[in-house]
């Protein structure tokens, strides 16, 4: 029987304490890996590590900060002696009419998604090249990187940047044996995403009706794809951006539908209410 084996692989998952990062962490553990997770909230990381066991190493690290990233990855290498893979999963996102965005709001998203992925990739890539080690970077993007997406413009711009980084580094670092890939998930309900991206139950229902397979993605489906890509079953896959979305992207970019279902003032009020709710 062909199995995905990650025995003794040391994998870093940014944002591994919640949602899809946590789901991937749990899958990697089941395949035999050791996983270091980071995020900004210590209690969230410790809870995930407590449930998953000693193969999970929690570390508070803000990916926007180069010093914090250096400390995190140095700690992983000191603890486990090596680093096999980095999963750039940490992200920020919210719904907003773009003409209302403050410069800080735009930067908040770009700094986590694009700058954070650069920090992790830069540290790991230099480490692997110096140590002649064939590492792997797996970036979690979105299906709207090629199309853009209404009402989540900073995320679309930042994720498109991460996609470009994926393709650039895949070619540049292929000669070192370093693989660089991306997964573009469709819709996988998580607390982090749904609390910020679904204005209300009615709009969520309209959103769900767009799903060609009549359902959302399941965590284990994403976990299996990520584990496969990080495993020794995929040595020739690099420079790939793989959607896992049940063909949802063929309906159009995720949040464009909002422009059809409500007028702008109604949307702006709904976005403001979401912002206030997530600040509480
Ligand atoms: C408009 C907003 C806003 C909102 C914050 N800001 N939330 N603007 N609408 N909903 C503005 C603030 O007013 C402020 O600008 C600036 O952004 C920074 O705000 P902070 O609260 O200080 O930012 P920070 O603490 O860094 O938090 C970052 C965050 C937050 C992105 C705003 O939501 C967060 O921590 N998110 C992490 C988790 C997450 O977003 N998960 C969802 C991922 S889903 P001013 O000018 O007022 O000071 C995803 C793809 C899903 O990525 C695709 C599904 C298909
Ligand atoms: P989530 O649970 O909110 O995950 C985001 C994670 O990033 C959190 O654990 C958060 O932890 C961490 N994070 C945010 N800012 C950080 C920072 N500066 N430094 C370190 N960690 C930081 O949302 P999710 O749905 O699981 O999303 C995970 C990934 O999947 C993201 O890349 C997202 O874009 C992508 N995605 C999700 C969907 C979906 O349908 N859910 C669809 C497409 C793509 P802290 O807040 O504690 O820092």
């Amino acid at each position: 029987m062909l199995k995905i084996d990650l025995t003794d692989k040391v994998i870093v998952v940014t944002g591994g304490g919640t949602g899809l990062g946590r789901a991937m962490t749990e899958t990697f553990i089941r395949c035999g890996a050791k996983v270091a997770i980071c995020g900004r909230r210590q209690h969230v990381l410790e809870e995930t590590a407590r449930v998953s066991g000693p193969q999970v190493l929690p570390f508070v690290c803000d990916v926007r900060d180069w010093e914090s990233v250096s400390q995190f990855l140095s700690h992983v290498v000191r603890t486990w002696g090596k680093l096999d893979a980095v999963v750039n999963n940490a992200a920020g996102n919210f719904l907003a009419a773009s003409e209302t965005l403050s410069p800080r709001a735009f930067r908040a998203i770009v700094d986590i998604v694009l700058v954070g992925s650069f920090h992790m990739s830069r540290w790991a890539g230099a480490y692997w090249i110096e140590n002649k080690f064939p590492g792997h970077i797996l970036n979690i993007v979105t299906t709207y990187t090629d199309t853009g997406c209404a009402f989540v413009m900073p995320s679309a711009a930042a994720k498109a940047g991460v996609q470009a980084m994926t393709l650039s580094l895949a070619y540049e670092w292929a000669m070192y044996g370093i693989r660089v890939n991306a997964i573009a998930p469709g819709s996988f309900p998580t607390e982090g995403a749904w609390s910020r991206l679904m204005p209300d139950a009615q709009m969520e229902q309209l959103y769900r009706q767009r799903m060609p397979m009549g359902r959302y993605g399941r965590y284990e489906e994403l976990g299996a794809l990520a584990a496969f890509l990080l495993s020794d079953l995929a040595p020739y896959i690099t420079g790939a951006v793989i959607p896992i979305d049940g063909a949802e992207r063929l309906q159009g970019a995720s949040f464009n539908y909002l422009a059809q279902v409500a007028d702008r003032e109604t949307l702006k009020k709904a976005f403001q209410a979401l912002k206030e709710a997530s600040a509480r």
Side-chain angles (χ1 to χ4, degrees):
M1 189 196 296
L2 189 62
K3 279 190 171 175
I4 301 176
D5 183 6
L6 299 176
T7 304
D8 292 332
K9 287 204 187 290
V10 173
I11 301 170
V12 161
V13 181
T14 66
T18 66
L20 301 186
R22 181 173 177 164
M24 287 188 280
T25 296
E26 286 166 358
T27 304
F28 299 158
I29 295 293
R30 284 212 305 282
C31 296
K34 299 172 188 159
V35 185
I37 58 173
C38 81
R40 294 163 298 176
R41 291 167 300 165
Q42 186 160 9
H43 70 278
V44 169
L45 298 165
E46 280 174 356
E47 174 58 13
T48 297
R50 191 187 63 74
V51 171
S52 298
Q55 301 92 331
V56 171
L57 178 68
F59 196 95
V60 174
C61 162
D62 186 332
V63 296
R64 296 172 296 187
D65 177 20
W66 171 248
E67 282 309 313
S68 181
V69 165
S70 298
Q71 283 168 14
F72 173 41
L73 295 181
S74 304
H75 179 68
V76 173
V77 169
R78 268 199 311 276
T79 306
W80 283 329
K82 64 168 181 163
L83 173 64
D84 290 279
V86 166
V87 181
N88 285 314
N89 165 80
N93 205 353
F94 49 69
L95 288 172
S98 296
E99 68 276 18
T100 68
L101 283 169
S102 74
R104 282 196 69 227
F106 182 78
R107 262 201 308 273
I109 304 304
V110 173
D111 280 353
I112 302 171
V113 174
L114 182 55
V115 179
S117 299
F118 163 71
H119 285 156
M120 297 294 297
S121 306
R122 162 70 176 79
W123 197 100
Y127 167 79
W128 289 325
I129 291 167
E130 191 185 336
N131 290 283
K132 299 188 170 32
F133 191 91
H136 187 195
I137 295 168
L138 179 59
N139 294 321
I140 306 301
V141 294
T142 57
T143 53
Y144 49 67
T145 45
D146 290 331
T147 57
C149 187
F151 310 119
V152 289
M153 181 275 284
S155 168
K159 293 283 191 181
V162 174
Q163 182 167 305
M165 201 187 305
T166 306
L167 305 181
S168 307
L169 295 179
Y171 192 91
E172 189 175 336
W173 291 349
M175 64 176 282
Y176 301 115
I178 298 170
R179 294 189 297 125
V180 190
N181 290 300
I183 292 177
S187 296
F188 291 72
T190 63
E191 162 65 22
W194 258 229
S195 64
R196 293 175 172 90
L197 301 173
M198 295 300 152
D200 60 32
Q202 197 191 353
M203 290 194 204
E204 205 246 336
Q205 200 188 357
L206 294 169
Y207 183 82
R208 185 193 280 262
Q209 281 169 3
R210 297 171 46 258
M211 302 297 134
M213 295 186 84
R215 69 167 176 88
Y216 292 134
R218 298 183 182 126
Y219 290 6
E220 63 272 20
E221 294 169 334
L222 177 72
L225 175 59
F228 166 74
L229 287 172
L230 295 191
S231 77
D232 296 337
L233 294 171
Y236 203 53
I237 301 181
T238 190
V241 181
I242 303 176
I244 174 166
D245 72 338
E248 178 196 344
R249 70 194 179 287
L250 306 178
Q251 292 272 17
S254 314
F255 303 104
N256 285 357
Y257 83 103
L258 287 170
Q260 313 301 326
V261 302
D263 65 66
R264 261 342 126 87
E265 287 315 308
T266 306
L267 287 179
K268 284 185 192 174
K269 278 189 197 130
F271 297 163
Q272 183 61 27
L274 272 184
K275 180 180 180 186
E276 284 162 16
S278 68
R280 280 198 286 272

